[in-house]
Amino acid sequence: MKKGSNSVKIDGIDKKILRHLMKDARTPILEIARSIGISGAAIHQRLRKLESSGLLSGSKFVINPRVLGYSTLAYIGIYLDRAMSNPQAVKALEKVPEVLECHYTTGNWSILIKVLCRDNEHLMQLLNKKIQAIEGVSRTETFISLDQQIDRQISL
Amino acid sequence: MKKGSNSVKIDGIDKKILRHLMKDARTPILEIARSIGISGAAIHQRLRKLESSGLLSGSKFVINPRVLGYSTLAYIGIYLDRAMSNPQAVKALEKVPEVLECHYTTGNWSILIKVLCRDNEHLMQLLNKKIQAIEGVSRTETFISLDQQIDRQISL
DNA sequence: TGTGAAAAAGATTCGGC
DNA sequence: GCCGAATCTTTTTCACA
């Protein structure tokens, strides 16, 4: 199977393995092996295959930003003057550490971004001094996440 | 330090360790140790402390949904009839596997959700048959992500 | 907090089925 | 595709600075 192919087939055992690792990337393979009744070597083989299929794009430690004093999460819809501004705007947004995601979107805005700030004050500074300062940005609409109830990956 | 405390201080070594693990949760501790010139035991100690501080909320395998045929990512703003509908609506959304995130937000909508579908057809079915069918949902606004240029965590 | 060394556990390879 | 055994690496613990 070529890397990045979009016709990967996974069976029930693959799903079980992945479900374990999606919850905790450091789950020992041997522990998974014991829990699903297969040898560690077999799981190792399957993981190698899943990896080369491009389905596994890596693993991440998840840190809780709240503990570092970052508790304001928001989405910002951005209107750009000209479509031409897009690539430059994205380049500028990449340099803003508070920006976690950036999407070109259909609909009202040119761009939708997700930002993480310490508090509302920080968010206001971010909007006024950094986002609005980007060339091409004409207007923004901000949606603060008061509470996030769901946060998960694709279900297998 | 209590679990979940919001006054955790981390030093440069902690940051180096976390930066490694945020990129790849399975990086061996000893490899990190070699790269930053400290013993593996010391890193182990620091990780235990960071964990009990609540800063580390786990680790995840990241899978590439595109390889499974899921290539349409969208945000949907949802208007609810009455504020009272919120908890029930969230409960209903939890049962919809396509919903990856769900936020109570300030602004126009009651709720903003992120969904992952195979294609636009699937997204349309999702909207018509599942989202609109939820009690309390009066109207929705959909923003399809044509391209995601930035996807990252808080920068340390 | 850190270290080095020892012990325990896990990852990886490989021949064989 | 899977297994088991052998080997190598990593994790974890602990006494000590």
Side-chain angles (χ1 to χ4, degrees):
Chain A
M1 194 68 70
K2 287 200 308 294
K3 185 151 185 158
S5 158
N6 59 342
S7 59
V8 171
K9 286 181 184 56
I10 58 176
D11 65 9
I13 295 178
D14 289 327
K15 287 187 186 175
K16 280 185 188 170
I17 297 170
L18 291 172
R19 275 198 282 257
H20 275 280
L21 292 170
M22 284 167 76
K23 265 193 298 191
D24 179 359
R26 293 190 77 111
T27 313
I29 287 179
L30 288 175
E31 199 179 305
I32 301 173
R34 284 188 290 268
S35 103
I36 68 181
I38 199 178
S39 76
I43 295 193
H44 190 250
Q45 278 183 330
R46 281 166 174 271
L47 280 174
R48 285 190 62 75
K49 192 176 289 186
L50 288 170
E51 199 173 342
S52 70
S53 80
L55 178 58
L56 269 56
S57 47
S59 63
K60 293 194 162 49
F61 243 68
V62 181
I63 74 164
N64 180 359
R66 213 169 278 274
V67 176
L68 289 177
Y70 283 74
S71 51
T72 296
L73 184 67
Y75 285 91
I76 305 175
I78 298 178
Y79 294 87
L80 293 176
D81 282 336
R82 314 165 292 282
M84 269 190 53
S85 323
N86 282 16
Q88 287 98 327
V90 172
K91 230 178 220 173
L93 288 168
E94 257 165 22
K95 290 183 190 134
V96 179
E98 290 92 343
V99 175
L100 302 187
E101 295 184 25
C102 171
H103 305 262
Y104 284 151
T105 52
T106 62
N108 299 330
W109 313 304
S110 307
I111 286 178
L112 176 64
I113 64 173
K114 180 186 195 173
V115 299
L116 179 63
C117 295
R118 286 186 295 279
D119 47 31
N120 288 351
E121 164 74 14
H122 181 190
L123 174 60
M124 204 180 67
Q125 300 288 327
L126 176 72
L127 276 164
N128 293 337
K129 304 204 172 152
K130 291 189 173 178
I131 306 296
Q132 299 277 10
I134 293 172
E135 197 182 322
V137 170
S138 64
R139 204 156 63 84
T140 62
E141 281 173 17
T142 302
F143 304 88
I144 298 173
S145 170
L146 301 170
D147 190 20
Q148 176 165 3
Q149 285 95 358
I150 301 179
D151 188 7
R152 61 191 179 197
Q153 285 196 72
I154 189 175
S155 63
L156 297 181
Chain B
M1 194 69 71
K2 286 199 309 293
K3 184 150 188 162
S5 158
N6 58 343
S7 58
V8 170
K9 287 180 184 56
I10 59 176
D11 65 9
I13 295 178
D14 290 326
K15 286 186 187 176
K16 279 185 189 170
I17 298 170
L18 290 174
R19 275 198 282 256
H20 274 278
L21 292 170
M22 284 166 76
K23 264 193 299 189
D24 179 359
R26 294 190 77 111
T27 314
I29 288 180
L30 286 175
E31 199 179 304
I32 302 173
R34 286 189 288 267
S35 104
I36 68 182
I38 198 176
S39 75
I43 294 193
H44 190 252
Q45 280 182 329
R46 281 168 174 270
L47 280 175
R48 286 189 61 75
K49 193 176 289 186
L50 288 170
E51 198 173 342
S52 69
S53 79
L55 177 58
L56 270 54
S57 47
S59 63
K60 292 192 164 47
F61 243 69
V62 181
I63 74 163
N64 180 359
R66 211 168 280 273
V67 177
L68 289 177
Y70 283 74
S71 52
T72 297
L73 184 68
Y75 285 92
I76 305 175
I78 298 178
Y79 294 87
L80 292 176
D81 282 336
R82 315 164 291 282
M84 269 189 53
S85 323
N86 282 17
Q88 287 98 326
V90 171
K91 231 179 222 172
L93 288 167
E94 258 166 20
K95 291 182 191 136
V96 179
E98 290 91 342
V99 175
L100 303 187
E101 294 185 25
C102 171
H103 304 262
Y104 283 151
T105 52
T106 62
N108 299 331
W109 312 305
S110 306
I111 287 178
L112 177 65
I113 65 174
K114 179 186 196 172
V115 299
L116 179 63
C117 295
R118 285 186 295 279
D119 47 31
N120 287 353
E121 165 74 14
H122 181 190
L123 174 59
M124 204 181 67
Q125 300 289 329
L126 177 72
L127 277 164
N128 292 337
K129 303 205 173 154
K130 291 189 174 178
I131 306 297
Q132 298 278 10
I134 293 172
E135 198 182 322
V137 171
S138 65
R139 203 157 65 82
T140 62
E141 281 174 15
T142 302
F143 304 89
I144 297 173
S145 170
L146 300 171
D147 191 21
Q148 176 165 4
Q149 285 94 0
I150 301 179
D151 187 9
R152 59 192 179 196
Q153 285 194 73
I154 189 174
S155 63
L156 296 181

